Amino acid sequence: MRTPVTWALALAVAGCGGKGSILDELTVSAGQTQGPTYGPSGEPDDSGDEPTTSATTGEPTTTGGPSGTNPIDVLFVIDNTGSMADEQARLAKNIAALVNTERDLRIGVTTTDAGNPRCPSAQTTPENGAMATLSCIERVAKGEFSFNMEDFSYACTDVCDLGAFDLVPTPTSLEPEPEVRPWFERTGGVTNLADEGLSLVQALQCALPRGVNGCGFESQLESMRMALVRSMDANQPEYGFLRPEADLVVVLLTDEVDCSYNPAFKSIFQDNKIFWENQDRPDATSAVCFNAGVRCEGGAPTYTACPATNHDIEGEPHVADDDAVLWPVSRYTGLLADIQASKTGGARVRLLAIAGVPVGFETGDVPLVFEDDPDPADQELFGIGPGCVLANPQDPDFPQVARPPVRMLEVGASLGPLEFHSICQDDYSALLATIAQP
């Protein structure tokens, strides 16, 4: 039976981005984050990930981790669009850096696909924040690793060889009756995996690659919000995912800007071309997402700052939240603040992004530069130049490129020192290790 719980959550609070925004300063530096902990060999310590030894346990009374630490609830919001195959594989390959901690873990996985008028729902099947534990091998069979007639199944098969796996029923503090949950869990060294010989690392390596057929107008922030709200709704499978005594770490993996839009203003993707980079085009591009949610300052092609800004349907900036065509940043900062207020025992809420910032931004050593794309075609597609670029030795004409995550940066800054890392690097293990830092 589902036990109702009261959450004091203001899902839409006053305030908006604009002049005086935190991004006025973040073009210079981002602030220091903690480094990873390594084992004696210099590699990430893998002593914490032991195969499960029993089918299930009751609700724990201790964290199972080192003295003075909290368990961790980790929500992965993964960009599942056509440019993300390599990044998903890299995340899965490096996931042991997170799992190999003594702290108890609960890990949910969803995507950035919350739908958009430019994405027929029958083709992209938006998750809308729903968590899933399906093996990517099953997703390959469903065609979810195909994009533009290209097969990207290697993003799954290079890291996963498990066709399927089962989870055992577990209780939560809100639901004492055990049920199969749509997340992975390890408490006191025991996982919720039915196969006692299967490690949490193996399962996550199969669950994290989410395919490349999602909506190309990514809603990173709204998908995060939907997943968190679902975890508070007694009618949803995700109910009970959040634990008051656990740190919450939201991890965004994406190479594009946030396009979390208010459905009341969906015409900006259809026939209202006010935010289109090229109004002679027959269809909207991702440039709408940048132009509708950001207002750059200073002259082109290189800007002094590009803060998140509310625009109304006529293109006017600095408008009230209710008039904003993209959901205001306050929708997400308010939600996370209220979740933080519900935490106990020193637990905290964090947002860690692997996104379009340069390597070194996470330490404050390298600034995020906003400038127009030198390629007119790419400027038309995205509305802004890259936040980072990674060379592609196999195909030099097609480097990895990611756009500046302005709206996500604003949300991250509301929680304290930024934890934004570059998606444009070959190894994510060091940054993933920081998730488990106390």
Side-chain angles (χ1 to χ4, degrees):
M1 182 180 76
R2 297 189 181 275
T3 305
V5 63
T6 300
W7 289 81
L9 294 177
L11 299 184
V13 297
C16 62
K19 291 183 178 179
S21 162
I22 191 70
L23 256 294
D24 292 343
E25 302 173 5
L26 293 182
T27 52
V28 179
S29 65
Q32 183 74 36
T33 57
Q34 288 181 293
T37 299
Y38 288 92
S41 67
E43 296 298 321
D45 186 357
D46 63 358
S47 60
D49 184 39
E50 298 296 333
T52 180
T53 57
S54 69
T56 185
T57 59
E59 189 72 359
T61 57
T62 62
T63 67
S67 176
T69 65
N70 298 310
I72 318 173
D73 298 333
V74 184
L75 172 64
F76 282 98
V77 183
I78 295 176
D79 190 332
N80 63 331
T81 59
S83 61
M84 288 293 298
D86 291 342
E87 294 80 0
Q88 290 181 25
R90 197 172 300 139
L91 178 69
K93 180 181 178 181
N94 297 152
I95 196 60
L98 162 62
V99 174
N100 294 331
T101 173
E102 294 182 0
R103 297 175 70 180
D104 289 347
L105 294 170
R106 184 174 284 178
I107 298 175
V109 185
T110 189
T111 75
T112 58
D113 192 347
N116 187 279
R118 287 280 285 112
C119 300
S121 59
Q123 294 180 16
T124 65
T125 57
E127 280 75 21
N128 292 316
M131 299 179 192
T133 58
L134 194 69
S135 170
C136 61
I137 296 292
E138 297 176 82
R139 297 185 184 280
V140 168
K142 294 181 177 182
E144 296 180 19
F145 282 83
S146 177
F147 177 72
N148 278 351
M149 305 300 291
E150 285 193 60
D151 179 15
F152 293 93
S153 59
Y154 68 85
C156 169
T157 56
D158 282 0
V159 293
C160 170
D161 58 5
L162 301 172
F165 39 78
D166 295 320
L167 304 179
V168 298
T170 56
T172 72
S173 58
L174 301 179
E175 290 189 310
E177 188 69 26
E179 295 183 14
V180 174
R181 314 289 175 178
W183 63 72
F184 299 95
E185 189 166 337
R186 185 187 66 210
T187 300
V190 178
T191 75
N192 63 339
L193 298 166
D195 183 348
E196 296 185 358
L198 181 63
S199 74
L200 188 55
V201 167
Q202 290 173 294
L204 286 169
Q205 285 178 331
C206 292
L208 289 170
R210 290 300 302 258
V212 294
N213 67 334
C215 181
F217 290 72
E218 294 92 332
S219 296
Q220 296 90 336
L221 294 175
E222 189 64 12
S223 294
M224 172 193 73
R225 177 186 175 276
M226 287 179 169
L228 295 174
V229 170
R230 289 173 71 95
S231 74
M232 305 172 211
D233 184 345
N235 297 311
Q236 298 298 333
E238 294 83 3
Y239 184 59
F241 174 75
L242 295 179
R243 297 170 288 183
E245 75 279 10
D247 288 345
L248 167 63
V249 184
V250 178
V251 181
L252 306 178
L253 176 73
T254 184
D255 63 356
E256 281 211 46
V257 306
D258 174 65
C259 204
S260 299
Y261 77 102
N262 184 337
F265 305 114
K266 64 181 181 180
S267 64
I268 64 172
F269 302 100
Q270 297 170 323
D271 53 13
N272 179 346
K273 299 187 176 184
I274 193 78
F275 300 109
W276 295 26
E277 196 73 17
N278 179 358
Q279 298 189 356
D280 292 329
R281 284 185 65 99
D283 52 8
T285 69
S286 294
V288 171
C289 309
F290 186 81
N291 295 334
V294 175
R295 185 173 179 84
C296 289
E297 302 168 358
T302 302
Y303 303 95
T304 56
C306 288
T309 306
N310 286 346
H311 290 86
D312 68 14
I313 195 67
E314 302 297 331
E316 287 297 315
H318 315 306
V319 300
D321 284 356
D322 289 346
D323 297 323
V325 294
L326 298 188
W327 288 120
V329 168
S330 64
R331 179 178 176 88
Y332 311 107
T333 58
L335 173 64
L336 295 177
D338 284 328
I339 293 176
Q340 177 64 74
S342 74
K343 293 297 181 183
T344 61
R348 61 193 179 113
V349 175
R350 299 161 57 193
L351 187 148
L352 185 147
I354 309 170
V357 297
V359 175
F361 180 81
E362 73 281 1
T363 59
D365 294 329
V366 181
L368 173 58
V369 176
F370 296 94
E371 57 186 355
D372 290 337
D373 199 300
D375 185 333
D378 283 344
Q379 178 69 18
E380 184 175 311
L381 289 176
F382 302 106
I384 191 67
C388 68
V389 178
L390 178 65
N392 182 354
Q394 284 71 43
D395 195 344
D397 292 333
F398 292 95
Q400 177 189 359
V401 176
R403 308 290 156 174
V406 174
R407 284 162 50 84
M408 291 171 267
L409 280 164
E410 297 257 1
V411 175
S414 75
L415 298 171
L418 279 171
E419 298 185 76
F420 273 60
H421 302 262
S422 181
I423 196 172
C424 301
Q425 52 186 316
D426 292 318
D427 192 316
Y428 298 156
S429 57
L431 66 90
L432 288 171
T434 67
I435 297 173
Q437 294 296 308

